[in-house]
Amino acid sequence: MRASECDILILPGMGGGTPDHWYNRWAQKLSTARRVEQRDFDHPRLDEWAGRIEEVVASATRPVVLVGHSMGAVTACLAGPAMPKVAAAMLVAPASPRVLLTLENVDHAFAHRPQRRVEFPCLLVASRNDPYATYEESTERASALGATLVDAGESGHINPDSGHGPWPEGLMRFAHFLGQVKAG
């Protein structure tokens, strides 16, 4: 699949990200990409966040590819199986349920909803020193999703704070992954 053949939906993490965050840069660089805006990026609520993503996916006129980071990736993991227009997903550094339960402003439903297997190609990129999920927790999530796990090495939370502003390696990985997805 080519980027021109799909709607790429960028799912920001908690806080919505700074302008130099890789996913905001991708939203500007990729002509068919756009951010899914949430009402409140600082106080994520699962039903609200998932509902917003489902609404944007339902309005798409082409196959949808989700690209989520952190809380956006967690939401995609939990909402994705219910969205038939989703052709593929790249999930970067989703926080583990264990960590989600410790975050004061996060709805605990994110941690309590069971993970379901997805019916579309899915790539989960995980770091070995992410403060929001151990590599083992990411491996378990990838297995539950039926996703291909990509080992990002010692990359922190794969955000600007860990040196991943533009993240060209991630964009190359995404382009390669997208090339392997069959057009609908």
Side-chain angles (χ1 to χ4, degrees), residues 79-95:
M83 297 182 289
K85 286 186 179 179
V86 174
M90 180 173 170
L91 310 172
V92 180

Side-chain angles (χ1 to χ4, degrees), residues 69-137:
H69 179 259
S70 195
M71 287 301 298
V74 170
T75 309
C77 290
L78 299 174
M83 297 182 289
K85 286 186 179 179
V86 174
M90 180 173 170
L91 310 172
V92 180
S96 75
R98 172 189 57 81
V99 171
L100 293 172
L101 290 172
T102 69
L103 300 176
E104 189 175 302
N105 295 337
V106 174
D107 178 6
H108 286 180
F110 283 101
H112 293 304
R113 181 162 304 168
Q115 183 66 70
R116 295 178 289 169
R117 188 172 191 84
V118 296
E119 300 299 323
F120 46 79
C122 185
L123 200 64
L124 192 150
V125 181
S127 168
R128 291 195 169 264
N129 63 339
D130 187 339
Y132 295 99
T134 66
Y135 192 74
E136 292 73 25
E137 289 168 329

Side-chain angles (χ1 to χ4, degrees), residues 11-77:
L11 312 176
M14 197 164 161
T18 59
D20 64 330
H21 200 296
W22 62 264
Y23 57 71
N24 287 323
R25 290 170 183 247
W26 290 15
Q28 291 178 342
K29 183 178 183 111
L30 301 169
S31 64
T32 61
R34 65 185 170 123
R35 282 172 48 108
V36 173
E37 297 299 331
Q38 296 291 348
R39 182 188 64 78
D40 188 348
F41 276 113
D42 295 322
H43 301 88
R45 299 288 169 256
L46 178 57
D47 289 343
E48 187 176 293
W49 277 40
R52 177 68 181 131
I53 293 168
E54 290 165 3
E55 175 186 307
V56 175
V57 168
S59 70
T61 57
R62 298 181 291 189
V64 171
V65 176
L66 303 175
V67 177
H69 179 259
S70 195
M71 287 301 298
V74 170
T75 309
C77 290

